[in-house]
Amino acid sequence: MTDTDILIAGGGIAGLSAAARFAAAGARVAVVDPAPASAPQDDLRTTAYLQLAAATLTRAGVWDDMAEKGAPLRLMRLVDAGGLERTPRETADFTAAPAGHDVFGWNIPNAAAKTALLARVDSDPAISLHQGRSAVGLVTRMDRALVRLDDGTQISAKLVIGADGRGSTVRRLSGIDVRRWEYGQQALVFAVTHPRPHDGISTEIHRTGGPLTLVPMPDRDGHPCSSVVWMVPGPRAAELSALDDTALVSVLTDEAMALYGPLEITGPRAVWPIVSQIATRLTGQRTALVAEAAHVMPPIGAQGLNTSLHDIEVLASLIEGAPDPGTDDILTRYARRVWPHMASRIAGVDLLNRAAQTEVQPLRDLRRLGLSALNRIRPLRNLAVRTGMGL
């Protein structure tokens, strides 16, 4: 039987980030990842890492390697185009200055982030990585937890972390339920190049059906490049997915009001269902949930993974210097600190998504008025920036 301080189920970006951060806090960590070592890093999505997330990953010893693959986010632009014509009615530009920063963060391809995290984990003797293995059994006791893997291996840990996604096995084995709701949306995800530079501006366009977001990426083959996250109703997603690249970018260029000129798709596309989900509690005996095992939200305002890294930072700060990271006291304090932050983020993103979805003109006009107030009233602008950055 193997013995460790913390066992993390899940070897995605959240799980590997947790491993690096907990090891930096002085813990011995085992990571159980169902993906085999030979699995290609082919996640097409990108993630915007805000300043607090960058601070966590700096403490984890991996941020420099990740950031060099990303593009800085200098300005967040919200555009309401919900009038009768497809044209901007209200545009609000936000900088990170109210939070004391020059940039909001950096947008990094998920594949590049995971490659950097795997290199960090492989280089740390305090971390053992069990790839191609899944946790299938969990027994908790007063002083330890015993985890059984699918190959029969048993690992004893003081704390078990569920970072194994929205269908979390650790959550199920701990008897924790979830509340889940759907929006009838899917997100089309792909990258585009364009003739005009993005200048580090992330643009979120609201009309109907959901937001269309273009997020800066590093140049590709000498051309400015952006990541597209286009949230649309399910039937519309099916129609768009059936188009070839030429037809799809023609529709997208029109939808984006020729923001960067004619677009060109670079690389493959993906489609992701949009849901929200929240665990009914965050801890059990000797167990804690983080990231999508605890919460899932639509990809608006870069809140998803940044909220996950907040979970990890809170728990890391509590276990640092503690001889036993899985005590009831630590887990209770973790839940008390994380729950309000998590719940407020889910509620806020849910409200924003429903406002972006609306097709009723009076509600679209009300959405414009809200954006106008946010744009023109300085205390509201400053509060929005600080709240969005997790401060």
Side-chain angles (χ1 to χ4, degrees):
M1 179 183 296
T2 305
D3 179 82
T4 191
D5 294 324
I6 300 174
L7 182 142
I8 299 171
I13 290 176
L16 294 174
S17 297
R21 181 65 183 94
F22 296 155
R28 295 172 301 142
V29 183
V31 180
V32 178
D33 182 9
S38 58
Q41 302 305 320
D42 56 358
D43 189 336
L44 306 179
R45 296 169 295 176
T46 65
T47 297
Y49 293 78
L50 303 179
Q51 290 285 353
L52 290 181
T56 290
L57 293 166
T58 297
R59 297 184 188 102
V62 73
W63 177 245
D64 288 346
D65 290 339
M66 289 176 59
E68 68 178 15
K69 303 296 185 182
L73 304 176
R74 306 185 188 282
L75 189 145
M76 298 290 188
R77 175 169 291 161
L78 299 182
V79 179
D80 180 88
L84 297 177
E85 304 294 332
R86 185 179 282 106
T87 185
R89 300 192 300 173
E90 185 78 32
T91 300
D93 289 346
F94 300 89
T95 71
H101 296 287
D102 294 331
V103 299
F104 283 94
W106 290 261
N107 190 43
I108 301 172
N110 286 3
K114 188 167 183 182
T115 296
L117 284 162
L118 283 169
R120 166 71 180 87
V121 165
D122 287 342
S123 68
D124 193 328
I127 304 173
S128 60
L129 180 58
H130 303 259
Q131 292 181 295
R133 298 272 69 90
S134 298
V136 295
L138 172 65
V139 176
T140 60
R141 299 173 177 169
M142 291 295 294
D143 61 340
R144 308 288 295 180
L146 298 177
V147 177
R148 179 169 54 84
L149 306 188
D150 56 357
D151 64 349
T153 300
Q154 292 196 40
I155 301 177
S156 170
K158 297 175 183 177
L159 175 62
V160 175
I161 302 292
D164 47 348
R166 59 188 67 185
S168 171
T169 297
V170 170
R171 186 183 64 226
R172 176 178 58 80
L173 292 174
S174 300
I176 300 174
D177 292 329
V178 294
R179 179 180 169 231
R180 173 190 171 99
W181 59 100
E182 301 181 0
Y183 301 90
Q185 292 169 297
Q186 293 186 319
L188 279 73
V189 181
F190 50 92
V192 294
T193 56
H194 37 82
R196 299 174 194 159
H198 50 58
D199 295 325
I201 301 172
S202 178
T203 302
E204 190 169 283
I205 300 169
H206 294 251
R207 185 165 169 76
T208 64
L212 164 60
T213 308
L214 293 98
V215 190
M217 291 179 65
D219 289 357
R220 183 169 295 185
D221 298 326
H223 299 287
C225 185
S226 295
S227 172
V228 174
V229 181
W230 191 0
M231 293 168 56
V232 294
R236 177 67 167 154
E239 293 174 4
L240 293 170
S241 297
L243 299 177
D244 62 24
D245 285 358
T246 301
L248 178 59
V249 293
S250 176
V251 176
L252 176 62
T253 299
D254 183 53
E255 196 74 22
M257 299 169 289
L259 176 66
Y260 296 134
L263 305 173
E264 183 175 340
I265 293 179
T266 173
R269 317 180 216 161
V271 179
W272 298 86
I274 301 301
V275 302
S276 283
Q277 181 174 289
I278 186 170
T280 55
R281 54 190 172 92
L282 298 177
T283 63
Q285 186 179 51
R286 294 281 164 184
T287 60
L289 304 179
V290 302
E292 288 201 341
H295 48 75
V296 179
M297 63 192 81
I300 296 176
Q303 294 303 303
L305 186 60
N306 286 277
T307 301
S308 300
L309 289 166
H310 176 267
D311 303 342
I312 291 164
E313 181 60 34
V314 168
L315 191 51
S317 69
L318 291 171
I319 68 173
E320 194 154 15
D324 185 347
T327 64
D328 289 344
D329 176 61
I330 286 177
L331 294 178
T332 297
R333 286 190 287 159
Y334 167 70
R336 285 177 177 170
R337 287 178 57 182
V338 164
W339 186 271
H341 181 272
M342 175 189 73
S344 67
R345 288 299 182 270
I346 291 175
V349 168
D350 178 82
L351 179 62
L352 289 171
N353 189 36
R354 293 185 189 280
Q357 278 187 283
T358 183
E359 297 184 4
V360 180
Q361 191 61 48
L363 293 179
R364 289 157 67 177
D365 293 339
L366 183 62
R367 182 183 67 200
R368 177 194 180 184
L369 289 175
L371 180 58
S372 178
L374 201 63
N375 192 24
R376 289 167 171 76
I377 302 173
R378 184 178 295 274
L380 286 180
R381 287 175 59 87
N382 294 347
L383 178 62
V385 169
R386 293 179 58 81
T387 300
M389 295 182 69
L391 303 175

